[in-house]
Amino acid sequence: EDKVVQSPLSLVVHEGDTVTLNCSYEVTNFRSLLWYKQEKKAPTFLFMLTSSGIEKKSGRLSSILDKKELFSILNITATQTGDSAVYLCAVEAREYGNKLVFGAGTILRVKS
Amino acid sequence: ETGVTQSPTHLIKTRGQQVTLRCSSQSGHNTVSWYQQALGQGPQFIFQYYREEENGRGNFPPRFSGLQFPNYSSELNVNALELDDSALYLCASSFWRQGELFFGEGSRLTVL
């Protein structure tokens, strides 16, 4: 059965800190790994990763995938209170069309 | 603004009742997926629709059913509601076989 495990489950940091969120997965016929940010209701897309070792960046956020070790990390540098959210990791398998298997998420709280 | 709209935003039902949730997909997208997100959990795949047909289903009983219309909008129907059906129901639209999903704000269902 396809599975995604995220860690830590939650963390609290101060503004300006750097955080690393982890995502490990087991999936048959891996197609891609995606990161989403969920602040209130609608998860918003952050990154899609398909190749190992290629870092994707967007402002203070970056992510990388290791297909050999079956994990990904999401880094946030110089955190701000607006980064407080649930960060969801999901994997897509080739035979499922657009089906995503999500982890439980990491709750990040950034204190000012 | 994600472009995916869902209605209603909140609703309360009692056990045994039936509910219909609606979703308008983002312009141009031809695939709609539905996810159930219980409190403190990641979204769980219910099913997806492409070309007005169900194309992939998660571990949900037959009392969860859906439709996709020619304009790519969609409905999720749940019969014989149970207390455990209380959750946020998320609709997501996308292009077929492209993993990046765009989510709506969700419909919060409470079953009493």
Side-chain angles (χ1 to χ4, degrees), chain A residues 11-72:
Chain A
L11 73 164
V12 180
V13 300
H14 288 94
E15 271 192 315
D17 288 350
T18 293
V19 299
T20 298
L21 310 183
N22 304 296
C23 176
S24 64
Y25 63 90
E26 295 175 24
V27 65
T28 311
N29 295 318
F30 174 90
R31 180 195 290 262
S32 66
L33 183 145
L34 299 94
W35 285 95
Y36 283 84
K37 177 183 182 183
Q38 187 174 30
E39 293 180 81
K40 291 180 182 176
K41 288 186 177 179
T44 53
F45 173 78
L46 295 175
F47 298 111
M48 176 189 283
L49 303 154
T50 56
S51 302
S52 274
I54 299 174
E55 185 182 52
K56 293 219 172 176
K57 292 198 71 168
S58 177
R60 296 176 293 103
L61 278 66
S62 64
S63 183
I64 198 161
L65 173 67
D66 186 328
K67 290 167 74 173
K68 183 179 176 185
E69 300 298 329
L70 307 183
F71 79 89
S72 174

Side-chain angles (χ1 to χ4, degrees), chain B residues 22-95:
Chain B
R22 295 179 175 83
C23 172
S24 293
S25 60
Q26 182 164 311
S27 178
H29 286 172
N30 56 15
T31 304
V32 174
S33 307
W34 286 92
Y35 287 78
Q36 180 196 66
Q37 187 175 24
L39 206 59
Q41 313 244 344
Q44 295 224 342
F45 176 74
I46 302 174
F47 44 53
Q48 69 179 13
Y49 280 82
Y50 172 63
R51 291 185 175 177
E52 302 177 48
E53 291 191 2
E54 185 180 293
N55 198 308
R57 188 178 184 95
N59 293 326
F60 283 82
R63 58 191 186 82
F64 285 78
S65 63
L67 286 171
Q68 185 183 32
F69 300 99
N71 65 354
Y72 306 123
S73 65
S74 178
E75 286 183 355
L76 164 66
N77 298 290
V78 188
N79 294 321
L81 285 167
E82 301 176 0
L83 298 179
D84 285 348
D85 296 333
S86 295
L88 180 67
Y89 288 85
L90 293 164
C91 170
S93 73
S94 62
F95 295 106

Side-chain angles (χ1 to χ4, degrees), chain A residues 31 34 36 38 41-43 45 48 88 92 94 96-100 102-104, chain B residues 9-10 35 37 42-43 45 48 90 94-101 103-105:
Chain A
R31 180 195 290 262
L34 299 94
Y36 283 84
Q38 187 174 30
K41 288 186 177 179
F45 173 78
M48 176 189 283
L88 295 165
E92 180 192 16
R94 288 187 186 279
Y96 291 133
N98 298 61
K99 172 189 173 183
L100 298 183
F102 282 86
Chain B
T9 54
H10 295 84
Y35 287 78
Q37 187 175 24
F45 176 74
Q48 69 179 13
L90 293 164
S94 62
F95 295 106
W96 175 242
R97 289 198 174 270
Q98 292 188 22
E100 183 180 341
L101 304 186
F103 285 88
E105 292 289 315

